[in-house]
Amino acid sequence: MTQLLKAKEGVITREMEIVAAEEGKSPEEIRQKVASGEVVIPANINHQNLHPKGIGAGLKVKVNANLGTSENRCFYEDELKKLKVAIKAGADAVMDLSTGGNLDEIRRAIIKESSVPVGTVPLYQAAAETLNKYGDISRLDPELLFDVIERQAADGVDFMTVHVGVNREILKVLDRFPRVTEVVSRGGSLTIAWMEKNGRENPLYEQFDRLLDICRKYDVTLSLGDGLRPGSIADATDQLQIMELMKLGELVKYAQNQGVQVMVEGPGHVPINQIEMNVKLMKRLCGNAPFYVLGPLVTDIAPGYDHITAAIGGAWAAYFGADFLCYVTPAEHLGLPTVEDVEEGVIALKIAAHAADLARGNREAWNRDYEMSVARKELNWERQFELAINPERARKMRIERGSQDIKSCSMCGELCAMKIMNERGGKNA
Ligand code: SF4
């Protein structure tokens, strides 16, 4: 039985208790939010060493890190290293988006090693297997897709992205709304190409009940992907994006009524002034289901720094109610991220999540900032390192900038404002 079905029956699960303790809430409050669909706890019954996390309204903002091989860069050890680094940097979930090598093997290794929820996009594996076999993605057999979904669910995948909003109804009007960057979602573009070539409906939309049966069996949380998300600032919040979102809203309700936990994915590329509208519209259309945003990136012009453009967008989106931020690394739009890129990406989005937690009035976030301010005032460097988002980097920088032998730091030296005021005997607030 899924967390949602248990919550609806009034049962408080072990997972709900863990989430409640981490969030400073009562288990009953978490149960009610899971029952209403406002919170999900992605926790596949077969993911053995999982430390469950809650995602949704009223909880701390969570961050996801994407991992995975590609056809061009396929080193399993690197992906496992990225997993370790991502978790150490504070990732609350990871997605295995591998498309190169033995996909079952790499996914099983990631699930085995991961204490945080693991997500996938099963269509990637089905497409990769089809491409290997026939050299032609349009020959993808829907039966293979469902076989991959069942395989991944049985392995312990906690959440799956499915592009169920891309259907023949939308296909009919696709060309009526021209875009600068057309379709940038891999899942969205694969689905469109397959439907057009085969003259058939999206199998995940057509057989949604079959998908829900598998999810209910293993308690896989569905993440309804935005296959038509805008891939550029010029395309943000256009008709296609909103049409798809309306369809996803319908499917959210349907899935929840079938006892399946569900969240919804959002854009993409969005200028700052449209973020609030995007989040509020999604929450309204999708019954306040958890909102999982990809960044969003607030400008298109910063390849090499897209972890920063995503952190700016992520902070705003989370402040207005987004619950789950998918990280973006400095390598976005340029190549498969390295281990270092993964660390940079997670930390950038953790800062965004924390900034939003502060603005949303989270007590724990406020206390951490308060303690950091006190440590700064006292020039207590060890305490500052303990509280820092990346203690190792902060310590290393202090040493490298020639501050380790002085009480203040090399920025102002003897003219340190903190030191001067401390010597004056001022009182802390
Ligand atoms: S030296 Fe300047 S920058 Fe460094 S701690 Fe003191 S006031 Fe802050």
Side-chain angles (χ1 to χ4, degrees):
M1 205 188 273
T2 65
Q3 296 288 327
L4 175 57
L5 286 169
K6 284 179 190 154
K8 281 183 176 173
E9 284 189 358
V11 176
I12 291 173
T13 62
R14 177 188 148 268
E15 288 78 9
M16 291 174 206
E17 275 171 1
I18 293 171
V19 169
E22 284 205 348
E23 301 283 345
K25 310 263 181 209
S26 73
E28 174 55 19
E29 197 179 335
I30 298 298
R31 184 201 67 75
Q32 283 178 18
K33 294 223 173 202
V34 172
S36 70
E38 289 173 276
V39 164
V40 293
I41 304 178
N44 185 311
I45 56 168
N46 287 344
H47 188 172
Q48 298 306 330
N49 61 335
L50 174 70
H51 184 82
K53 300 270 181 177
I55 301 167
L59 307 188
K60 280 177 274 184
V61 179
K62 306 299 184 303
V63 171
N64 172 73
N66 289 338
L67 318 169
T69 59
S70 74
E71 213 187 316
N72 309 91
R73 293 187 66 81
C74 182
F75 307 107
Y76 295 2
E77 298 71 27
D78 277 7
E79 298 314 311
L80 291 174
K81 251 189 239 162
K82 288 179 194 173
L83 170 70
K84 275 207 179 95
V85 162
I87 294 177
K88 188 172 172 224
D92 300 288
V94 295
M95 289 190 80
D96 170 26
L97 304 183
S98 293
T99 52
N102 185 329
L103 303 181
D104 288 333
E105 205 177 292
I106 178 78
R107 179 182 60 259
R108 284 168 192 155
I110 286 176
I111 293 170
K112 188 162 167 252
E113 295 297 318
S114 180
S115 57
V116 298
V118 176
T120 58
V121 186
L123 181 59
Y124 291 2
Q125 180 168 1
E129 288 182 7
T130 303
L131 204 59
N132 284 342
K133 197 165 172 192
Y134 304 112
D136 178 4
I137 292 158
S138 68
R139 291 185 66 183
L140 190 150
D141 182 349
E143 289 307 310
L144 170 68
L145 179 54
F146 280 96
D147 173 64
V148 167
I149 291 169
E150 179 94 40
R151 232 188 289 164
Q152 294 193 354
D155 282 347
V157 168
D158 302 289
F159 61 103
M160 288 182 188
T161 294
V162 286
H163 301 90
V164 281
V166 180
N167 60 9
R168 289 194 68 79
E169 210 179 307
I170 282 195
L171 205 55
K172 274 191 229 154
V173 296
L174 197 62
D175 295 328
R176 288 228 306 267
F177 303 107
R179 284 175 152 183
V180 174
T181 44
E182 289 194 283
V183 175
V184 297
S185 148
R186 254 190 291 181
S189 62
L190 282 169
T191 306
I192 290 169
W194 187 90
M195 285 194 296
E196 285 188 328
K197 258 294 188 28
N198 292 283
R200 291 176 60 186
E201 182 55 280
N202 174 354
L204 293 178
Y205 176 68
E206 194 174 39
Q207 301 183 58
F208 195 50
D209 282 311
R210 184 174 173 191
L211 174 64
L212 295 179
D213 286 345
I214 300 173
C215 292
R216 206 171 30 245
K217 184 167 155 196
Y218 299 95
D219 199 358
V220 175
T221 297
L222 278 185
S223 184
L224 304 188
D226 48 345
L228 297 176
R229 69 171 173 269
S232 57
I233 291 294
D235 295 340
T237 329
D238 71 352
Q239 291 93 334
L240 291 172
Q241 182 198 326
I242 304 304
M243 278 172 72
E244 184 186 28
L245 182 62
M246 287 167 71
K247 177 52 74 185
L248 296 183
E250 267 175 59
L251 297 172
V252 164
K253 202 157 228 110
Y254 190 84
Q256 287 170 341
N257 286 338
Q258 303 295 314
V260 172
Q261 302 193 85
V262 59
M263 52 190 173
V264 177
E265 294 181 15
H269 293 236
V270 189
I272 288 174
N273 60 312
Q274 293 180 24
I275 290 176
E276 180 178 9
M277 173 190 27
N278 267 273
V279 175
K280 292 191 169 158
L281 191 61
M282 175 275 160
K283 285 279 177 177
R284 175 86 181 95
L285 294 176
C286 299
N288 217 25
F291 195 21
Y292 178 20
V293 285
L294 312 175
L297 302 169
V298 294
T299 170
D300 298 340
I301 61 137
Y305 299 93
D306 271 332
H307 57 314
I308 297 174
T309 60
I312 295 169
W316 278 96
Y319 171 56
F320 288 118
D323 309 285
F324 191 21
L325 308 179
C326 185
Y327 88 161
V328 173
T329 76
E332 183 77 11
H333 301 112
L334 301 170
L336 196 74
T338 61
V339 174
E340 292 72 30
D341 293 332
V342 167
E343 186 180 25
E344 289 287 301
V346 172
I347 288 175
L349 271 293
K350 282 301 278 187
I351 295 169
H354 180 79
D357 283 338
L358 278 174
R360 286 157 57 140
N362 181 275
R363 180 55 42 204
E364 197 185 300
W366 272 92
N367 287 345
R368 186 169 170 189
D369 275 54
Y370 177 81
E371 284 186 41
M372 178 62 103
S373 303
V374 171
R376 280 207 174 121
K377 174 76 169 81
E378 291 172 350
L379 295 170
N380 182 344
W381 298 100
E382 281 309 314
R383 184 67 182 139
Q384 288 181 57
F385 298 148
E386 262 172 47
L387 292 162
I389 201 140
N390 184 346
E392 285 160 23
R393 183 174 165 128
R395 185 185 297 278
K396 187 165 170 269
M397 267 197 178
R398 179 161 162 79
I399 295 169
E400 284 176 358
R401 304 302 188 267
S403 304
Q404 76 272 30
D405 295 327
I406 52 177
K407 179 128 182 75
S408 58
C409 79
S410 61
M411 176 86 178
C412 338
E414 280 305 305
L415 300 180
C416 170
M418 303 291 186
K419 185 169 168 277
I420 292 167
M421 293 310 283
N422 289 345
E423 283 166 0
R424 181 176 166 270
K427 294 233 173 322
N428 287 346

